[in-house]
């Protein structure tokens, strides 16, 4: 059959799943519809969404404690342009599993489709916070950036929307745009330490040592006992050839954090380099 020839044929899964559902074989229908949910990334595809939604609704009635039914039905509602239905289902997922980052992201996309930019940004912000230390393949960068860009148009003096869009660019490894957004956020809110950290790290990845030193100098101004800031500034100074400045910073980092191994290693490297000159 068509599926055996092409296991990515969503139309074949749609047709077979509908037949299973009409015969009363809910489990087989759901298995086929799950394949559609997993494979379909084109919102313009026309499928039997009403049947798919009905099958997931019946599945939820049978197994009300399983969030997968709500999650997948939300996707079907969204594909069928029933954004309110999608929001309701993903809200149920979030209520049961508050750290479900993708449910926040998807609900944010549904809010954005409805024109509710404030709710969209709130959900995208939560998704980004949950995913902050990861590089998830599932992040819908284009949709998130579009929402933040619209938010910037509406709220040009809100530093947080530049901040959050910069984080998205950072996750995309788009360092120039990330730096530009962090710079704008700093202009609007110059005492936010994390902005200097993030911009400093982006500048480090681009080899902009003078910028790294400037940013971590600002961190130290705002938080004089930040050992990591001294280490980062010292590391940039060492790469720049300012060995005496690097040694001073590494010593300060160690004074604040006596067991700071990386600072001790780099202090020794700087001392040896200075002695060899």
């Amino acid at each position: 059959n068509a599926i055996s020839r092409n296991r990515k044929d969503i139309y074949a899964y749609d047709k077979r799943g509908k037949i299973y559902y009409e015969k009363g074989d809910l489990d087989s229908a759901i298995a086929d519809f799950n394949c559609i949910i997993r494979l379909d990334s084109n919102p313009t595809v026309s499928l039997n969404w009403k049947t798919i939604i009905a099958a997931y609704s019946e599945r939820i009635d049978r197994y009300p404690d399983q969030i997968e039914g709500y999650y997948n039905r939300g996707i079907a509602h969204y594909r069928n342009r029933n954004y309110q239905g999608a929001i309701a289902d993903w809200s149920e997922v979030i209520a049961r599993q508050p750290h479900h980052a993708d449910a926040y992201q998807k609900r944010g996309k549904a809010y954005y489709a409805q024109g509710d930019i404030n709710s969209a940004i709130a959900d995208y912000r939560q998704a980004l916070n949950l995913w902050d230390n990861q590089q998830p393949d599932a992040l819908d960068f284009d949709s998130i950036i579009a929402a933040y860009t619209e938010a910037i148009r509406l709220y040009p003096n809100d530093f947080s929307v530049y901040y959050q869009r910069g984080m998205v660019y950072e996750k995309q490894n788009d360092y120039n745009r990330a730096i530009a957004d962090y710079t704008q956020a700093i202009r609007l809110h110059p005492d936010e330490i994390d902005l200097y950290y993030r911009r400093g790290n982006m500048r480090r990845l681009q080899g902009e040592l003078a910028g790294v030193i400037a940013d971590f100098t600002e961190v130290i101004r705002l938080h004089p006992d930040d050992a990591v800031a001294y280490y980062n500034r010292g590391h940039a100074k060492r790469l720049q050839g300012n060995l005496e400045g690097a040694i001073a910073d590494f010593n300060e980092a160690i004074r604040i954090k006596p067991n700071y191994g990386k600072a001790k290693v780099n202090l020794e490297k700087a001392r040896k380099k200075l002695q060899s000159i």
Side-chain angles (χ1 to χ4, degrees):
N1 59 26
I3 292 174
S4 64
R5 292 192 299 271
N6 180 7
R7 295 196 174 276
K8 294 185 177 181
D9 187 342
I10 61 173
Y11 296 103
Y13 285 114
D14 183 49
K15 183 177 180 180
R16 190 176 70 176
K18 186 173 186 290
I19 292 170
Y20 280 138
Y21 183 68
E22 290 174 346
K23 286 183 176 180
D25 186 350
L26 181 64
D27 289 342
S28 296
I30 289 294
D32 278 351
F33 295 152
N34 283 346
C35 289
I36 292 171
I37 295 297
R38 188 179 71 253
L39 294 170
D40 176 35
S41 60
N42 184 352
T44 65
V45 168
S46 179
L47 298 173
N48 290 299
W49 292 117
K50 289 183 179 180
T51 300
I52 294 170
I53 290 165
Y56 280 122
S57 295
E58 190 171 329
R59 178 81 173 182
I60 289 167
D61 288 341
R62 289 190 187 181
Y63 307 102
D65 294 332
Q66 295 180 5
I67 68 167
E68 184 184 21
Y70 293 99
Y71 179 82
N72 286 341
R73 189 176 67 178
I75 293 173
H77 277 310
Y78 184 88
R79 290 286 190 257
N80 199 40
R81 293 183 172 80
N82 176 7
Y83 302 126
Q84 198 56 46
I87 289 167
D89 277 341
W90 289 324
S91 294
E92 184 66 28
V93 173
I94 291 166
R96 296 176 182 218
Q97 201 171 99
H99 299 291
H100 200 304
D102 195 46
Y104 280 106
Q105 175 181 234
K106 283 184 164 52
R107 191 176 69 175
K109 192 172 181 178
Y111 278 129
Y112 184 65
Q114 281 192 323
D116 186 349
I117 188 67
N118 291 324
S119 296
I121 289 298
D123 274 356
Y124 284 143
R125 185 171 291 154
Q126 185 65 21
L128 287 168
N129 288 337
L130 290 168
W131 269 330
D132 192 25
N133 296 318
Q134 305 175 36
Q135 287 290 343
D137 293 334
L139 267 178
D140 185 350
F141 290 117
D142 290 343
S143 295
I144 296 174
I145 288 170
Y148 276 109
T149 300
E150 177 65 11
I152 286 168
R153 187 185 69 81
L154 295 171
Y155 310 109
N157 295 317
D158 183 348
F159 88 98
S160 68
V161 289
Y162 291 99
Y163 186 178
Q164 295 286 335
R165 191 176 69 174
M167 289 173 61
V168 181
Y169 285 133
E170 183 179 332
K171 287 180 181 296
Q172 283 188 300
N173 298 323
D174 190 342
Y175 302 139
N176 286 329
R177 285 192 173 96
I179 288 169
D181 273 353
Y182 292 148
T183 298
Q184 183 60 25
I186 286 168
R187 288 195 188 105
L188 294 167
H189 192 32
D191 292 337
E192 179 60 49
I193 289 177
D194 191 57
L195 286 167
Y196 294 104
Y197 254 103
R198 288 185 178 276
R199 189 175 68 176
N201 286 330
M202 295 298 95
R203 286 172 162 172
R204 175 180 57 81
L205 291 168
Q206 292 196 312
E208 297 178 16
L209 298 178
V212 174
I213 291 167
D215 279 336
F216 286 104
T217 297
E218 284 301 304
V219 174
I220 291 165
R221 178 182 68 81
L222 294 166
H223 188 201
D225 292 330
D226 193 321
V228 176
Y230 278 105
Y231 170 79
N232 287 341
R233 189 176 71 174
H235 186 63
K237 287 179 179 178
R238 186 172 75 83
L239 293 175
Q240 204 179 46
N242 179 3
L243 298 175
E244 291 181 350
I247 289 168
D249 277 348
F250 292 144
N251 275 324
E252 189 63 19
I254 294 165
R255 183 191 67 78
I256 296 166
K257 187 178 177 182
N259 296 322
Y260 202 161
K262 285 198 302 182
K264 291 180 178 180
V265 169
N266 280 275
L267 173 62
E268 187 62 24
K269 287 180 180 179
R271 282 174 171 168
K272 285 181 178 180
K273 181 71 174 177
L274 186 62
Q275 289 169 359
S276 69
I277 296 174

